[in-house]
Amino acid sequence: MLSIFLLQVSDWALFFGRFHPVLVHLPIGFLLLAALLAIGKRFGKVSIGNATISLILLVSAISATIACGAGYLLSLGGGYDEEILDEHMWQGIGVAAFAWVAWAVQSDFIHKKLPVSRVVYLPALGLATILTMVAGHHGGSLTHGEGYLTAYTPEPFRGLAGMEPRREEITEIKPIANVQEAVVYQDIVQPMLSIHCTQCHNATKKKGDLRMDSFEYLIKGGENGPIFVAGKSEESEMLKRCLLPLEDDDHMPPKGKPQLSDNQLALLAWWIDQGAPIDKKVADLKADDKIKPALASLSEAPADSKAGGSQSTESPVLSLKVPEPDEKALASLKSLNLLVNPVASEQNFLEVSAVNAPEFSDSKVAVLTPLAEQIIWLKLGDTKITDAALSEIAKLKNLNKLHLEYTGVTDAGLKNLEELPYLEYLNLVGTKVTDAGLQGVANMKTIRNVFVWKTAVTDAGIAQLRQARPDLNVVTGLDEAAVAAFLQAGKGDSSQVAAKVKK
């Protein structure tokens, strides 16, 4: 009956249940304290009254009982390995039970009734302490995955304990030498999921009853059904969750965890739109111009960019100190489905992306200006902005990178950007910019990388720009090496020159 009631008020159950990790530390601390005092008293190292120890044991027993209740409520949310959960539950109950026994036999009232009861005291306290440590181990396995405590056991102890060699963790997607021959799921999608998703969705930790550590489980979905619809990325829950505002409780990965980049989101959506195949190579699927940069980002950096060409220096804008962003201004951005992320820890600089707001237009650009000091990376590609928006964007005085690809921007609008003191990166792919617009680019004193393929610029215009600005890198082609370089230049260090330049 109680279970039915708790399930009916699951929000309340989970609310109180989530206090379990906080509450569980109380019995751990008090029981260990009681055990140490008991040992010290037995060997004459500590002088303490029975009343004090009884009080400590009483607090231990009460807090262990409350922690057991909260743990049960938390378990109603599901997503845990049932075998480990069951063991953890009974171990927790054992801790509470033996803590009560230890308190009872230690108290003077019970001792007067049963003089031999003190014989049970130390065994009960010892069992409660041991069960506390064992339950803690299983609690760590439930939260972080099986084997969490021993995952980093070093050699030679692993070998002596008969443990398997530690598996190498995937912390980054390794460069792919030949992207066209890469199997999309195995070489691109699964590594992304391993980095960003499987910590909470694996064999021993199944949040939402969902596993993402293999294709079979990915298809199966979780407690709410399938997480993607093959051929329809816009209807796929997996992608929808990733595109929610970072503060949204349903956003995945959760706030504080490594987030998927725009390129990774694009690749995930592309894979789903292509039918989510398990065995198809990149060359077997249709790749339009919009996905080619993301695909090229997976390849090894071009040899010439590795060799040096230009030197890598930190952008001057990163040395500035700016105040914390206004919360109301941030809320205004998020209300328009703009994604807002910090550029780096311990700094107040922001990246704003309209990847989830394709309807963003000139009439909405003014929402950016209250954060003129903080916004240094702005991604407005594939939106409905035109030249009219650039006069407002020019007020973002610390702007360092600007994506305007596939927008209505023309030569006239670029004049507004000439006085920006820190602008180093400008993406004009797929716009109506011509040779005349390149003159405005030449006047941008700090610009280092500009991308102009699929525009109306000519070879003569490129040659003239390079003559005026020999320090400027101009990317004009869509070959794989150039695009990979373009994405490298667009990452954290905007000063890196990683482009195949048309001379």
Side-chain angles (χ1 to χ4, degrees), residues 261-489:
S261 68
D262 288 348
N263 285 330
Q264 290 172 332
L265 289 171
L267 289 166
L268 190 58
W270 173 69
W271 174 68
I272 294 173
D273 286 334
Q274 295 296 310
I278 187 175
D279 54 357
K280 297 289 187 181
K281 297 181 179 180
V282 171
D284 299 328
L285 305 180
K286 182 180 179 181
D288 58 23
D289 286 348
K290 292 184 180 181
I291 199 60
K292 284 181 180 179
L295 286 170
S297 71
L298 302 169
S299 67
E300 292 183 336
D304 54 351
S305 71
K306 292 179 182 179
S310 68
Q311 301 207 349
S312 172
T313 57
E314 185 178 84
S315 174
V317 73
L318 297 177
S319 64
L320 300 179
K321 301 295 183 183
V322 299
E324 291 186 6
D326 180 73
E327 290 297 327
K328 290 184 178 179
L330 290 174
S332 297
L333 265 61
K334 292 168 186 176
S335 68
L336 298 175
N337 287 331
L338 294 173
L339 298 182
V340 183
N341 292 305
V343 170
S345 60
E346 300 182 0
Q347 288 183 309
N348 294 319
F349 293 122
L350 300 175
E351 174 191 39
V352 176
S353 173
V355 66
N356 200 27
E359 299 301 315
F360 190 76
S361 61
D362 298 342
S363 63
K364 302 174 183 176
V365 173
V367 75
L368 301 171
T369 50
L371 297 169
E373 290 186 89
Q374 291 83 10
I375 297 175
I376 64 170
W377 297 352
L378 182 59
K379 298 182 177 181
L380 299 179
D382 287 298
T383 63
K384 298 186 180 300
I385 67 165
T386 66
D387 290 337
L390 296 188
S391 59
E392 201 69 28
I393 291 173
K395 297 177 183 178
L396 307 182
K397 60 182 181 180
N398 294 329
L399 195 61
N400 178 250
K401 298 181 186 178
L402 180 58
H403 286 255
L404 299 172
E405 62 269 25
Y406 300 103
T407 62
V409 170
T410 69
D411 300 339
L414 294 183
K415 295 183 181 297
N416 293 289
L417 307 178
E418 293 181 13
E419 300 302 320
L420 285 171
Y422 298 106
L423 186 62
E424 300 177 359
Y425 174 99
L426 183 60
N427 187 334
L428 300 172
V429 173
T431 63
K432 298 178 181 179
V433 171
T434 69
D435 291 349
L438 293 186
Q439 182 57 49
V441 173
N443 294 333
M444 300 176 189
K445 297 179 181 179
T446 58
I447 197 72
R448 297 181 182 182
N449 301 281
V450 61
F451 303 89
V452 294
W453 68 72
K454 297 193 72 176
T455 63
V457 300
T458 65
D459 289 347
I462 294 293
Q464 187 175 1
L465 176 61
R466 285 195 55 78
Q467 184 175 7
R469 290 287 305 276
D471 60 317
L472 183 60
N473 297 276
V474 186
V475 179
T476 61
L478 250 182
D479 66 285
E480 195 168 277
V483 180
F486 145 64
L487 287 157
Q488 184 65 26

Side-chain angles (χ1 to χ4, degrees), residues 223-241:
E223 62 184 11
N224 296 319
I227 61 172
F228 69 86
V229 181
K232 298 179 180 179
S233 63
E234 70 280 359
E235 297 180 16
S236 297
E237 190 68 20
M238 178 166 62
L239 203 61
K240 287 181 180 179
R241 294 288 187 97

